[in-house]
Amino acid sequence: MSEITVRGLSEDEWETYRSVRLAALEESPEAFAASLAEEQGYDEDLWRLRMRRSQRLLAEDADGNPVGVASVGHAEDAPERVAELFGLWVRPQARGTGVATQLVQAGADTARAQGRSHLAYWVGTDNGAAVAFASGFGFRPTDSRRPMRVSNGADEEEIAMVLPLGDDRGVPMLS
């Protein structure tokens, strides 16, 4: 794949984020807690609110075409020093080319710039590829578990994996 750049989106780029987010929901509905139909119904005000709540990161190819997206925010139940990476998605034709790695690196850089000491990433315990990817990036598993937010009828769990962003190598407690 050609050169990939990752950049943060501003609130005024909500339509760009909406377009990529809806593409992700359409292509990989099983990977997200939200549904395509639900998010298609959101109005501009709600999309703008979402843009203000979390930093949205967009990966683009050399021609400016979106090839991936991720978000960095703060979960209400997490310690203030912990940012959360979520909504990671890469277009199928760009998978295996390093786009996800670049998005996660940009997420870590964003969290660090926000003064966070750790980046949390929730991964399905049965998703060996995602666990391996996160581990290879430097995320470490924690004891924190929660039911999968994706509704597929199974009693699956997610595990919080945490990446230290500085000198504090400890793993904070997450709920």
Side-chain angles (χ1 to χ4, degrees):
M1 175 158 268
S2 61
E3 179 184 331
I4 300 297
T5 58
V6 177
R7 64 184 182 90
L9 294 173
S10 71
E11 179 183 340
D12 289 336
E13 294 178 288
W14 68 270
E15 290 174 296
T16 299
Y17 175 67
R18 178 186 187 274
S19 174
V20 178
R21 173 70 178 179
L22 295 179
L25 290 168
E26 183 173 19
E27 190 277 324
S28 300
E30 73 288 346
F32 299 98
S35 72
L36 177 62
E38 176 185 0
E39 293 203 10
Q40 283 174 325
Y42 292 171
D43 65 9
E44 178 180 340
D45 288 342
L46 186 54
W47 285 104
R48 286 181 174 277
L49 174 64
R50 293 177 94 188
M51 298 298 286
R52 289 190 302 269
R53 280 194 311 218
S54 300
Q55 177 62 64
R56 311 302 172 160
L57 303 169
L58 181 70
E60 298 172 307
D61 66 17
D63 296 324
N65 299 308
V67 293
V69 67
S71 297
V72 177
H74 181 262
E76 291 179 16
D77 56 350
E80 185 61 33
R81 69 183 195 270
V82 179
E84 183 175 350
L85 178 77
F86 60 97
L88 176 64
W89 177 77
V90 175
R91 288 196 185 277
Q93 63 271 26
R95 292 179 185 160
T97 65
V99 173
T101 298
Q102 287 182 261
L103 282 163
V104 173
Q105 183 61 58
D109 294 344
T110 297
R112 196 176 290 110
Q114 294 173 346
R116 312 290 185 177
S117 64
H118 294 80
L119 183 63
Y121 180 42
W122 288 90
V123 180
T125 55
D126 291 341
N127 188 342
V131 171
F133 168 75
S135 296
F137 196 88
F139 284 85
R140 298 188 315 225
T142 68
D143 291 335
S144 298
R145 304 275 193 287
R146 69 182 184 198
M148 287 284 282
R149 293 186 175 177
V150 177
S151 172
N152 60 4
D155 290 332
E156 296 180 37
E157 281 188 321
E158 289 180 306
I159 181 173
M161 299 189 71
V162 175
L163 177 69
L165 299 174
D167 294 334
D168 182 357
R169 307 307 287 178
V171 177
M173 291 297 297
L174 303 173
S175 49

